Amino acid sequence: MKLEQIYTGCLAQGAYYIESDGEAAVIDPLRETGPYLARAEKNGAKIKYVLETHFHADFVSGHLDLAEKTGATIVYGPTAKPGFNAHIAQDREMLRLGGISIEVIHTPGHTLESTCYLVSDENGRQVGLFTGDTLFIGDVGRPDLAQKVVRDLTQDKLAGMLYDSLHAKILPLSDDIIVYPAHGAGSACGKNMSKETTDSLGHQKAINYALQPMDKQTFIQKVTDGLTPPPAYFPANVMMNMQGYDGIEDVLNRGMQSLTPEAFEIAANETGALILDTRAAQVFAKGFIPYSINIGIDGSFAPWVGALVEDIRQPILLVTDPGREEEVVTRLARVGYDNAIGHLAGGFQAWEEAGKETDRIQSVEASEIPALLERNPEWQILDVRKPGEYLAEHVEGAENLPLDYLNEHLAEIDSNKTYLVHCAGGYRSMIFNSIIRASGYHNLIDVAGGFKAICESGLMKVTNYVCPTTLAAGNGADNGQALDALNGETK
């Protein structure tokens, strides 16, 4: 048996390729099917199954394209009602794959159709449990997402189902089984996920807070405590995964249209498209097309697009580093933003050379801040990190307005005040500044290098550091947010 985890860091997502005796299965594939097809072709194997653990909310799965290209059967667990041909397996149904078996285990809680797949090797020994969003390393799936899709369903009801699923079907399994989840730290599908992407079930029984002995009501309270609002694009992704979507080749063909500066400008004016500039933050700051927003491709690109671009059908025009156009279109498509309608040929340099209007954002070094504030005491430092990061340690006197909630709190920005804006390292602050500037606010100055550079300069007073785990223990409402900082949220 061959088993491979195919992990995509920007989405903190794990897909899986399993092969035995010339037959293969792919679990929770991403939208681009090439990596899975290449593995099967290299090994002379035929992809027999595409196994879906549930209708995903945080990305668009590649199940339809993969099934169309290979003839594989798409499999969902009980209660799933997809708008396309699929095998809806029964609880405890056994699927054969070459010389191994895969048991379907229905585990409702994260969603109603959530299902785990238990793999036994050629000798019949249970070796791996593919848990989707039911069980993570260090956490379990949040139970509030499906209530957005199914009427009269509450997060407490789903959390109760999750408790039953874990206690009746997961905890009784052998300790030496390896857990293979769909996500790791950084995903919005849980609140306390580890950076580790696999673990033994026995170790999880020992250290995972949600698997400790407790009654159902206590479990519901613990699992629902500290949940932050999910990104706005999640329900749209669920519907795409349930009902179908355009093939990835069609999406790429649209987005890969190369436009001259003149054609790009006409398209922007005629379609009302969002101009999305994916260059590095400090490169963007030195010059960009007016009213464009910056979300750098070398960061948590797709999740930030999903969090901040509220309409998944929004037409998008792209400004990228030359040669990275297809990468950008692909990563947009992973989260359902299929309406990229072209990119600027030659990148921003071509726009400048055509004599088109440009804009810029002032950026200063952290070492410059004390002198600037001395000359302009009315200026305000604005920290756009997550609440947990801010509470753990921040510049004295800084205000906190997290980038995550910018769309809901835009009115809190005083257009008459000048802000020195920083995040942890400079990625999020430029997103923030570009969106604010495109909305007509001009008194914002970016702090290059963010809070890290401020601390290294040693020139600003910062609050005493408080470990995020201490914050989480003392303030349950901020549990998930504080642990984002603990789990390495630096961009």
Side-chain angles (χ1 to χ4, degrees), residues 108-130:
H110 175 65
T111 66
L112 290 176
E113 77 287 347
S114 285
T115 296
C116 298
Y117 296 98
L118 178 61
V119 173
S120 297
D121 65 15
E122 290 84 352
N123 297 316
R125 184 172 67 93
Q126 296 175 346
V127 294
L129 183 67
F130 297 84

Side-chain angles (χ1 to χ4, degrees), residues 8 22 25 260 264 282 348 388 448 455:
T8 303
T260 65
F264 190 95
Q282 288 302 312
F348 180 70
C455 290

Side-chain angles (χ1 to χ4, degrees), residues 83-106:
F84 44 82
N85 289 331
H87 175 64
I88 308 304
Q90 298 299 308
D91 189 26
R92 302 296 184 178
E93 181 176 337
M94 300 297 293
L95 306 172
R96 295 297 303 178
L97 186 75
I100 69 174
S101 63
I102 303 174
E103 183 178 0
V104 177
I105 303 179
H106 187 211

Side-chain angles (χ1 to χ4, degrees), residues 375-392:
R375 294 195 300 269
N376 306 280
E378 74 281 5
W379 287 11
Q380 176 66 51
I381 296 176
L382 186 61
D383 186 333
V384 301
R385 297 175 300 159
K386 292 177 180 288
E389 295 173 273
Y390 174 83
L391 290 171

Side-chain angles (χ1 to χ4, degrees), residues 163-178:
Y163 177 88
D164 292 337
S165 294
L166 292 169
H167 283 260
K169 297 181 176 180
I170 303 299
L171 286 172
L173 296 173
S174 173
D175 287 356
D176 60 1
I177 289 173
I178 302 301

Side-chain angles (χ1 to χ4, degrees), residues 47-331:
I47 297 177
K48 182 178 182 180
Y49 296 118
V50 180
L51 305 177
E52 290 287 336
T53 56
H54 63 295
F55 294 121
H56 303 281
D58 60 313
F59 70 98
V60 178
S61 175
H63 53 296
L64 290 175
D65 282 345
L66 193 55
E68 182 179 349
K69 291 176 180 178
T70 65
T73 299
I74 301 171
V75 179
Y76 283 94
T79 76
K81 297 178 181 178
F84 44 82
N85 289 331
H87 175 64
I88 308 304
Q90 298 299 308
D91 189 26
R92 302 296 184 178
E93 181 176 337
M94 300 297 293
L95 306 172
R96 295 297 303 178
L97 186 75
I100 69 174
S101 63
I102 303 174
E103 183 178 0
V104 177
I105 303 179
H106 187 211
T107 51
H110 175 65
T111 66
L112 290 176
E113 77 287 347
S114 285
T115 296
C116 298
Y117 296 98
L118 178 61
V119 173
S120 297
D121 65 15
E122 290 84 352
N123 297 316
R125 184 172 67 93
Q126 296 175 346
V127 294
L129 183 67
F130 297 84
T131 55
D133 288 16
T134 294
L135 174 62
F136 298 124
I137 308 306
D139 200 3
V140 290
R142 58 190 294 171
D144 61 322
L145 301 183
Q147 65 178 342
K148 308 289 185 182
V149 179
V150 180
R151 187 178 177 184
D152 297 329
L153 198 59
T154 67
Q155 66 178 25
D156 284 3
K157 287 181 181 178
L158 282 160
M161 293 179 194
L162 183 57
Y163 177 88
D164 292 337
S165 294
L166 292 169
H167 283 260
K169 297 181 176 180
I170 303 299
L171 286 172
L173 296 173
S174 173
D175 287 356
D176 60 1
I177 289 173
I178 302 301
V179 175
Y180 297 99
H183 294 291
S187 168
C189 293
K191 62 181 180 181
N192 189 29
M193 284 181 264
S194 168
K195 292 180 181 179
E196 302 301 320
T197 59
T198 65
D199 194 10
S200 70
L201 181 57
H203 190 237
Q204 283 304 294
K205 290 177 184 178
I207 61 97
N208 190 320
Y209 79 96
L211 301 185
Q212 303 313 302
M214 68 186 84
D215 60 39
K216 184 183 290 189
Q217 195 54 46
T218 301
F219 176 89
I220 291 171
Q221 186 272 324
K222 285 181 176 291
V223 169
T224 58
D225 188 25
L227 290 174
T228 57
Y233 76 98
F234 271 26
N237 273 203
V238 170
M239 297 312 295
M240 291 176 72
N241 284 317
M242 288 178 68
Q243 298 176 353
Y245 46 76
D246 290 345
I248 188 65
E249 286 80 8
D250 293 334
V251 176
L252 287 172
N253 287 338
R254 282 197 299 268
M256 289 299 291
Q257 289 190 75
S258 184
L259 303 174
T260 65
E262 290 74 21
F264 190 95
E265 187 172 35
I266 291 170
N269 291 332
E270 290 185 351
T271 65
L274 170 71
I275 301 175
L276 179 60
D277 192 319
T278 64
R279 296 175 296 154
Q282 288 302 312
V283 175
F284 173 85
K286 294 173 183 176
F288 54 88
I289 298 172
Y291 303 104
S292 59
I293 69 169
N294 172 244
I295 304 179
I297 192 65
D298 292 321
S300 298
F301 172 72
W304 280 119
V305 170
L308 297 169
V309 181
E310 294 182 315
D311 185 359
I312 203 166
R313 298 163 298 182
Q314 167 74 50
I316 297 174
L317 285 165
L318 298 171
V319 181
T320 75
D321 292 311
R324 302 191 72 176
E325 299 86 0
E326 184 172 346
E327 177 188 0
V328 172
V329 177
T330 299
R331 289 174 66 176

Side-chain angles (χ1 to χ4, degrees), residues 402-482:
L403 174 62
D404 311 55
Y405 310 125
L406 176 57
N407 289 330
E408 292 84 357
H409 298 281
L410 191 61
E412 296 177 18
I413 301 294
D414 184 346
S415 61
N416 296 313
K417 182 184 290 187
T418 297
Y419 295 91
L420 291 160
V421 183
H422 78 82
C423 60
Y427 181 86
R428 285 175 283 176
S429 62
M430 194 59 69
I431 299 174
F432 185 99
N433 285 330
S434 68
I435 293 173
I436 293 292
R437 193 168 186 86
S439 301
Y441 297 78
H442 297 285
N443 299 327
L444 296 114
I445 300 170
D446 188 72
V447 179
F451 188 67
K452 181 175 184 290
I454 291 172
C455 290
E456 289 175 348
S457 75
L459 299 175
M460 301 289 294
K461 290 184 178 180
V462 300
T463 59
N464 292 329
Y465 177 76
V466 179
C467 179
T469 52
T470 302
L471 287 170
N475 182 4
D478 195 49
N479 182 49
Q481 296 161 337

